[in-house]
């Protein structure tokens, strides 16, 4: 084997006949909901008192606002990426209240088509002073579903980064395909994390 | 700037990139490559199978020198597209393939390599696709195992395979872990290609 350094050329331009074909990308929706401050206190109060139950189904005020925005986001996702011919979808969810130290282990949601999480509150303070700078309290990490693709990758190439990190902020909405593995980092704060987590089951046209 | 607020909210993560080029001056070199490969094939019944350790590009032949430089040029363009500007130390290990009637390469990938590729020297013209069969073509598989099973037609995950129908002069380059296979040749005409692995020697720049 002859290892030699590849020389770059300053005059090189992209040839018109070159074609880069991007295949099998994984779609991901991530944005901050407008008016989230208006409903933050009501949602926090609602979820803290109704952990684990599908509180959005009860309707009313902030719950209705969040449910409508989740449905709008799901429809946008389905229109822009899935283009699936469906006969509606079912939304199920639960309130999350994570006290200090609580996290969600690596997982995916095999019985759903899309999954999502909405941050109501996102405490960033650290209760203890021993944590390393790489602690991403309450963040969501998503992992490249192309298992092993990063193993031979080098810095800056499109396969090098296997992790997509979403830092927690109040009002952040994320929706992703349910087969994607994710990890919710531990809450290292003195305060509770409050969020709403949901699954979308679509009904295909028969 | 798009006025659609949703356009800014969607990301496409972890796409798998395949680089396709049509090499300049291929017609002047393909005949020489074809003759050379067929001469090698006539002296070794297992030439296409015995690819390990073959150093095809080291042969002193102008057409091979042209191909080696073309592969390097392709690698430069790939790295440029990635905005990789640090030094790359690489070797290119290449081997020729001759597929006659019925010959194929089953699904596989290439370990211990960074990128892999194939240059197409000669392809049968009478290999019409029929149904699920794509004679002499190359097909790549979605590396997101499970995504296909999750799909609802016609969503973007429905197609777990992508097939290329190369012509002489085409060079394909892809990440080495990507599973691919070459369909059987259904023609009496032979299919000649040159596959290669780009192997890197470690430098700390690769870690970012």
């Amino acid at each position: 084997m002859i290892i030699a350094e590849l020389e770059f050329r300053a005059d090189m331009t992209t040839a018109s006949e070159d074609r880069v074909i991007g295949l099998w990308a994984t779609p991901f929706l991530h944005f901050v909901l407008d008016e989230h401050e208006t409903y933050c206190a009501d949602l926090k109060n609602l979820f803290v008192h109704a952990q684990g139950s599908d509180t959005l189904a009860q309707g009313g005020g902030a719950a209705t606002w969040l449910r409508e925005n989740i449905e709008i986001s799901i429809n946008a996702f389905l229109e822009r990426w899935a283009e699936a011919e469906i006969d509606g979808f079912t939304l199920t969810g639960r309130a999350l209240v994570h006290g200090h130290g609580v996290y969600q282990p690596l997982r995916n949601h095999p019985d759903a088509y899309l999954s999502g999480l909405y941050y109501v509150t996102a405490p960033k303070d650290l209760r203890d002073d021993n944590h390393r700078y790489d602690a991403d309290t309450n963040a969501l990490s998503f992992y490249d579903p192309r298992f092993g693709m990063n193993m031979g990758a080098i810095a800056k190439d499109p396969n090098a980064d296997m992790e997509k990190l979403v830092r927690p902020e109040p009002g952040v909405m994320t929706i992703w395909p349910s087969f994607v593995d994710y990890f919710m980092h531990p809450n290292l704060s003195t305060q509770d994390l409050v969020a709403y987590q949901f699954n979308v089951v679509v009904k295909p046209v028969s | 700037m798009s006025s659609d607020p949703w356009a800014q909210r969607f990301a496409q993560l972890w796409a798998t990139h395949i680089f396709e080029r049509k090499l300049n001056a291929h017609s002047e070199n393909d005949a020489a490559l074809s003759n050379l490969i067929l001469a090698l094939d006539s002296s070794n019944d297992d030439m296409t199978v015995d690819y390990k350790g073959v150093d095809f590009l080291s042969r002193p032949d102008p057409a091979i020198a042209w191909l080696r430089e073309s592969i390097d040029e392709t690698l430069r363009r790939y790295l440029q597209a990635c905005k990789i500007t640090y030094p790359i130390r690489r070797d290119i290990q290449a081997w020729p393939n001759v597929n006659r009637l019925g010959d194929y390469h089953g699904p596989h990938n290439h370990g211990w390599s960074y990128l892999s590729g194939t240059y197409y020297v000669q392809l049968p013209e009478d290999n019409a696709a029929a149904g699920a069969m794509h004679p002499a073509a190359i097909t790549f598989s979605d590396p997101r195992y499970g995504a296909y099973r999750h799909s609802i037609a016609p969503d973007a995950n429905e197609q777990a395979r992508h097939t290329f129908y190369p012509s002489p002069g085409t060079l394909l380059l892809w990440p080495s872990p990507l599973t691919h296979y070459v369909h059987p040749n259904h023609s009496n005409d032979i299919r000649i290609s040159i596959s290669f692995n780009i192997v890197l020697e470690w430098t700390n720049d690769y870690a970012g």
Side-chain angles (χ1 to χ4, degrees):
Chain A
M1 179 176 290
I2 302 170
I3 296 287
E5 188 163 311
L6 183 69
E7 295 179 2
F8 282 87
R9 292 177 172 172
D11 61 345
M12 191 172 69
T13 58
T14 301
S16 59
E17 70 270 24
D18 290 357
R19 196 162 74 104
V20 178
I21 301 105
L23 298 170
W24 304 304
T26 297
F28 190 79
L29 181 60
H30 175 206
F31 70 105
V32 178
L33 275 184
D34 294 338
E35 300 182 309
H36 68 89
E37 299 97 336
T38 304
Y39 299 98
C40 178
D42 285 350
L43 285 172
K44 180 179 178 183
N45 185 54
L46 179 67
F47 292 159
V48 165
H49 292 96
Q51 291 184 44
S53 61
D54 195 355
T55 51
L56 294 190
Q58 310 303 317
T64 299
W65 171 83
L66 181 55
R67 184 177 184 91
E68 288 176 352
N69 275 285
I70 290 174
E71 290 176 346
I72 290 169
S73 303
I74 292 167
N75 279 318
F77 202 111
L78 293 172
E79 287 172 14
R80 282 163 179 76
W81 170 68
E83 297 179 353
E85 295 177 7
I86 63 170
D87 185 20
F89 59 82
T90 302
L91 174 66
T92 57
R94 61 173 181 153
L96 293 181
V97 179
H98 284 185
H100 181 85
V102 176
Y103 66 101
Q104 291 190 5
L106 186 68
R107 61 178 60 185
N108 61 16
H109 294 188
D111 47 359
Y113 187 65
L114 300 175
S115 297
L117 187 135
Y118 173 73
Y119 283 103
V120 179
T121 68
K124 294 193 180 72
D125 66 296
L126 301 180
R127 189 189 72 178
D128 305 319
D129 60 6
N130 59 292
H131 298 300
R132 304 186 311 266
Y133 72 87
D134 63 348
D136 288 307
T137 179
N138 293 320
L140 280 168
S141 285
F142 298 87
Y143 296 96
D144 189 342
R146 304 172 306 159
F147 185 74
M149 190 61 83
N150 71 320
M151 293 302 290
I154 60 176
K156 295 185 180 180
D157 92 10
N159 303 314
D161 196 353
M162 69 170 295
E163 180 184 12
K164 163 73 174 176
L165 183 73
V166 172
R167 297 193 186 283
E169 295 289 346
V172 161
M173 172 78 79
T174 55
I175 298 179
W176 62 90
S178 300
F179 63 79
V180 176
D181 279 352
Y182 72 95
F183 172 74
M184 195 164 187
H185 293 250
N187 180 8
L188 303 177
S189 168
T190 57
Q191 304 169 60
D192 287 345
L193 165 81
V194 181
Y196 187 76
Q197 190 169 32
F198 54 91
N199 278 335
V200 181
V201 177
V202 299
K203 291 183 253 182
V205 174
S206 58
Chain B
M1 180 74 76
S2 169
S3 59
D4 177 8
W6 292 100
Q8 306 299 319
R9 297 169 175 176
F10 277 97
Q12 300 280 323
L13 303 178
W14 303 305
T16 298
H17 296 97
I18 297 176
F19 197 21
E20 181 183 36
R21 297 187 69 204
K22 191 76 166 182
L23 298 188
N24 294 327
H26 74 89
S27 56
E28 297 102 276
N29 292 286
D30 286 347
L33 289 171
S34 177
N35 290 335
L36 178 59
I37 291 168
L38 289 176
L40 291 170
D41 189 55
S42 67
S43 62
N44 181 356
D45 288 343
D46 295 321
M47 180 196 73
T48 298
V49 181
D50 292 341
Y51 67 92
K52 291 180 180 175
V54 173
D55 195 6
F56 180 72
L57 295 183
S58 68
R59 290 174 173 273
D61 184 283
I64 290 179
W66 165 82
L67 179 61
R68 184 176 183 103
E69 175 50 31
S70 296
I71 293 172
D72 262 346
E73 179 69 7
T74 304
L75 177 59
R76 287 189 198 97
R77 292 178 186 279
Y78 177 87
L79 297 172
Q80 184 187 48
C82 297
K83 303 190 187 312
I84 292 174
T85 54
Y86 50 78
I88 298 293
R89 291 178 57 76
R90 57 82 187 87
D91 185 41
I92 304 170
Q93 190 236 337
W95 63 97
N97 307 288
V98 175
N99 282 4
R100 295 185 168 80
L101 179 66
D103 288 344
Y104 67 101
H105 299 282
H108 64 284
N109 63 9
H110 296 201
W112 297 105
S113 304
Y114 175 52
L115 298 167
S116 297
T118 296
Y119 174 68
Y120 296 91
V121 180
Q122 180 178 324
L123 289 112
E125 293 183 358
D126 57 341
N127 256 327
M133 294 188 292
H134 306 276
I138 182 169
T139 292
F140 295 86
S141 293
D142 186 345
R144 303 171 307 158
Y145 303 110
Y148 169 72
R149 290 192 293 174
H150 177 78
S151 73
I152 296 173
D155 77 14
N157 289 333
E158 184 196 7
Q159 299 297 328
R161 314 272 180 256
H162 189 89
T163 299
F164 287 86
Y165 305 91
S167 57
T170 299
L171 191 151
L172 296 177
L173 186 69
W174 62 84
S176 297
L178 193 59
T179 297
H180 59 282
Y181 68 101
V182 177
H183 294 254
N185 181 3
H186 282 185
S187 169
N188 286 312
D189 296 334
I190 57 175
R191 178 190 194 274
I192 300 175
S193 62
I194 300 164
S195 295
F196 58 89
N197 287 329
I198 294 173
V199 181
L200 302 183
E201 183 185 66
W202 176 258
T203 78
N204 286 338
D205 290 321
Y206 300 163

